[in-house]
């Protein structure tokens, strides 16, 4: 199938050609026809599947086809709400690229920076607004943004919205949206709370599109696990970076403190690396991300929340320095590499007390991750249950996936 078969308008086809897209990804192939027919959509898909284009393209096409005389002031007709600043910027960049030849305008708003330049762009008039929840409600409260004319509403990464404690913000938003609208709801995972939330947003006859995690991971990413003691992890990391010498590496750490420590130890070993996480200022995060995207920074260490939305084409390697205790997080992490048909490598470090997490992950992705034993730091000790908060050991227990994250 090609984008032509999806009956896209010429200006969009031209923009996609510019981006070098030849074929729609599975989610695009499935979702775009439904959306062009004005259906509501529940999409289970993670980033890396091409879901942004799957929702952005039909919205751009609808607004373009409905455009009226160009002299009246533009009103916000589409609203995309997403949990993090990085993701918001990424989505707005995609809208800009796909709408390049349509004359439509978008802007992006997020917290942590002064509002003046965001307000100035809004005042010039935009068709599409991409926003994180807090800043959106803030500017609505100040009377700067009205949702009165919204015809298209996208809630992106709904599971992370809940994880990050945005549920009340979302509820406040929903009551301000016009009843007559097309709604799109995306989430990588679909626990009960998410299905319930989707029921308050979507019309009853919504369509569902599901791109399974194993489809996104197994086919595209070469996965491997190294059994290694906690103390040896940093040595193994340095050795792998030197030996494999990939062009770009994203290292995941469970905590902000851990991320800083990894960077410090890598620097000490003569490897330049930087960290991004919630304690860094927005400008520092953006500067680090920019040098990573441009290739001047090769090793980036990130926490899960900070890494959401990092879209680096051809990211060569993902390293899970700590294995996540929520299996879906593993899928999110390794989805950073092997994006849109590029093959990638995902290596996980697994200490004795993380083996139960590995088993949960293998259950979710329905495959065994090959264990690499041929290395200097192989830890052949028996599995240990994970450490309890107080320092003692306990039986492994799965945490609740939907509580406010401390990361
Ligand atoms: P997303 O899941 O929206 O974050 O997209 C993941 C990556 O795939 C981004 O870098 C997109 O630019 C890229 N992408 C999206 N659709 C296509 C396509 N049809 N062909 C090639 N690359 C694509």
């Amino acid at each position: 199938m090609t984008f032509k078969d999806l009956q896209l308008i010429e200006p969009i086809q031209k923009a996609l050609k510019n981006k070098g897209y030849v074929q729609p990804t599975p989610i695009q192939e499935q979702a775009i026809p439904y959306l062009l027919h004005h259906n509501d959509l529940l999409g289970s898909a993670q980033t890396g599947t091409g879901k942004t284009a799957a929702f952005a393209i039909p919205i751009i096409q609808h607004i373009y086809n409905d455009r009226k005389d160009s002299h009246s002031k533009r009103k916000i007709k589409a609203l995309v709400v997403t949990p993090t600043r990085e993701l918001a910027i990424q989505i707005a960049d995609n809208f800009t690229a796909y709408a390049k030849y349509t004359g439509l305008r978008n802007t992006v708003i997020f917290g942590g920076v002064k509002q003046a330049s965001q307000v100035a762009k809004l005042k010039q008039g935009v068709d599409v607004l991409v926003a994180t929840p807090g800043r959106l409600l803030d500017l609505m409260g100040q009377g700067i943004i009205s949702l009165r004319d919204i015809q298209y509403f996208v809630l992106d990464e709904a599971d992370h919205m809940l994880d990050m404690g945005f549920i009340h913000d979302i509820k406040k938003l929903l009551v301000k949206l016009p009843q007559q609208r097309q709604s799109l709801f995306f989430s990588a995972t679909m626990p009960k709370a998410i299905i319930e939330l989707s029921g308050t947003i979507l019309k009853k006859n919504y369509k569902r599109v599901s791109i399974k995690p194993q489809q996104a991971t197994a086919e595209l990413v070469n996965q491997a696990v190294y059994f290694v003691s906690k103390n040896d992890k940093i040595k193994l990391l340095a050795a792998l970076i030197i030996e494999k010498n990939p062009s770009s590496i994203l290292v995941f750490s469970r905590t902000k403190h851990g991320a800083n420590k990894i960077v410090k130890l890598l620097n000490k070993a003569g490897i330049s690396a930087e960290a991004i996480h919630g304690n860094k200022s927005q400008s520092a995060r953006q500067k680090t991300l920019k040098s990573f995207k441009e290739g001047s920074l090769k090793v980036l260490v990130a926490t899960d929340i900070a890494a959401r939305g990092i879209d680096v084409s051809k990211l060569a390697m993902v390293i899970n320095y700590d294995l996540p205790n929520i299996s879906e997080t593993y899928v999110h992490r390794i989805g950073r590499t092997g994006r849109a048909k590029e093959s990638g490598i995902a290596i996980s470090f697994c200490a004795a007390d993380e083996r139960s997490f590995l088993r949960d992950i293998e259950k979710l992705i329905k495959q065994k991750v090959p264990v690499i034993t041929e290395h200097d730091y192989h830890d052949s000790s028996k599995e240990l249950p994970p450490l309890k908060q107080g320092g003692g050991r306990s039986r492994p227990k799965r945490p609740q996936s939907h509580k406010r994250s401390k990361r």
Side-chain angles (χ1 to χ4, degrees):
M1 178 179 273
T2 65
F3 282 107
K4 249 206 186 98
D5 300 323
L6 290 174
Q7 314 210 316
L8 301 183
I9 51 173
E10 201 47 48
I12 295 180
Q13 287 197 38
K14 189 171 163 192
L16 296 178
K17 208 164 153 205
N18 269 5
K19 286 282 284 177
Y21 297 1
V22 181
Q23 265 189 325
T25 65
I27 188 158
Q28 292 160 6
E29 206 173 298
Q30 293 176 47
I32 291 175
Y34 287 147
L35 294 173
L36 288 178
H37 281 100
H38 298 273
N39 291 296
D40 281 8
L41 185 88
L42 176 67
S44 23
Q46 55 172 142
T47 30
T49 52
K51 80 173 151 83
T52 316
F55 67 73
I57 289 170
I59 290 177
I60 295 168
Q61 181 146 330
H62 283 317
I63 300 179
Y64 182 83
N65 285 339
D66 289 348
R67 71 198 183 288
K68 304 217 171 70
D69 83 275
S70 54
H71 298 296
S72 55
K73 188 173 179 319
R74 281 170 207 258
K75 292 174 179 149
I76 305 169
K77 293 174 270 304
L79 172 68
V80 181
V81 181
T82 191
T84 68
R85 305 176 257 209
E86 283 78 12
L87 211 43
I89 293 170
Q90 202 86 65
I91 293 170
D93 284 350
N94 281 343
F95 266 100
T96 305
Y98 307 142
K100 189 171 173 192
Y101 302 106
T102 60
L104 302 193
R105 286 213 296 253
N106 76 76
T107 197
V108 55
I109 58 169
F110 45 82
V113 292
K114 292 209 173 77
Q115 70 175 48
S117 68
Q118 296 178 355
V119 172
K121 288 217 178 95
L122 285 164
K123 294 235 154 108
Q124 286 166 16
V126 294
D127 303 284
V128 178
L129 176 64
V130 184
T132 54
R135 178 57 56 97
L136 175 61
L137 284 172
D138 188 359
L139 295 186
M140 283 165 61
Q142 295 177 47
I144 294 167
I145 291 176
S146 156
L147 304 186
R148 205 177 34 225
D149 301 294
I150 297 294
Q151 298 167 42
Y152 310 99
F153 172 61
V154 182
L155 188 70
D156 188 35
E157 308 245 333
D159 46 359
H160 283 92
M161 292 276 190
L162 296 202
D163 279 347
M164 292 171 78
F166 284 139
I167 183 71
H168 296 296
D169 287 352
I170 300 299
K171 287 189 171 152
K172 276 189 222 157
L173 261 181
L174 292 177
V175 294
K176 302 278 181 196
L177 285 171
Q179 288 292 320
Q180 277 283 4
R181 58 167 203 259
Q182 186 179 17
S183 303
L184 290 70
F185 184 102
F186 287 92
S187 188
T189 55
M190 290 286 168
K192 206 166 144 242
I194 292 291
I195 299 281
E196 276 169 17
L197 178 65
S198 75
T200 66
I201 296 177
L202 301 172
K203 288 193 220 74
K204 290 224 160 22
N205 57 350
Y206 68 82
K207 304 283 180 201
R208 183 162 183 173
V209 168
S210 178
I211 302 298
K212 299 222 165 39
Q214 49 275 40
Q215 230 172 306
T217 63
E219 290 165 16
L220 303 172
V221 181
N222 291 315
Q223 303 168 63
V225 62
Y226 286 65
F227 289 157
V228 55
S229 74
K230 280 216 153 51
N231 287 342
D232 282 342
K233 281 187 175 184
I234 194 72
K235 289 182 233 159
L236 176 60
L237 178 63
L240 283 175
I241 294 174
I242 292 165
E243 179 202 323
K244 303 214 181 274
N245 195 23
S247 51
S248 52
I249 311 168
L250 181 55
V251 180
F252 281 98
S253 154
R254 194 155 38 223
T255 62
K256 299 179 241 194
H257 175 69
N260 288 340
K261 206 165 138 197
I262 295 167
V263 166
K264 207 165 131 198
L265 293 172
L266 283 180
N267 289 346
K268 228 167 137 186
I271 297 167
S272 68
E274 284 187 51
I276 55 165
H277 51 66
N279 283 5
K280 302 256 177 187
S281 71
Q282 172 68 0
S283 62
R285 282 159 72 164
Q286 259 160 8
K287 204 169 135 225
T288 305
L289 259 182
K290 189 161 174 265
S291 40
F292 190 59
K293 283 185 182 180
E294 288 170 356
S296 54
L297 173 68
K298 205 167 92 168
V299 184
L300 179 66
V301 186
T303 55
D304 290 297
I305 296 291
R308 308 248 7 115
I310 293 181
D311 176 18
V312 180
S313 56
K314 302 202 173 63
L315 175 62
M317 187 185 277
V318 161
I319 295 187
N320 292 308
Y321 192 86
D322 302 305
L323 264 188
N325 52 7
I326 298 170
S327 309
E328 286 83 1
T329 304
Y330 175 84
V331 176
H332 274 298
R333 288 181 177 185
I334 76 165
R336 310 277 120 200
T337 181
R339 297 193 133 201
K341 308 220 168 122
E342 295 283 347
S343 67
I345 300 170
I347 290 177
S348 301
F349 293 176
C350 182
D353 62 358
E354 292 172 310
R355 302 251 179 108
S356 59
F357 303 156
L358 179 64
R359 276 202 310 275
D360 284 348
I361 289 165
E362 290 179 331
K363 243 185 251 160
L364 177 75
I365 63 173
K366 297 197 178 77
Q367 60 176 295
K368 282 262 171 223
V369 182
V371 182
I372 310 285
T373 52
E374 295 297 303
H375 60 97
D376 293 345
Y377 306 102
H378 180 63
D379 176 16
S380 55
S381 62
K382 288 239 154 36
E383 175 175 346
L384 288 175
L387 278 175
K388 266 200 304 205
Q389 297 265 302
R393 298 211 171 266
S394 70
R395 282 298 313 142
K397 198 173 150 199
R398 265 180 79 81
Q400 291 244 292
S401 354
H402 291 286
K403 17 177 229 219
R404 189 184 275 271
S405 169
K406 289 203 193 73
R407 269 165 241 165

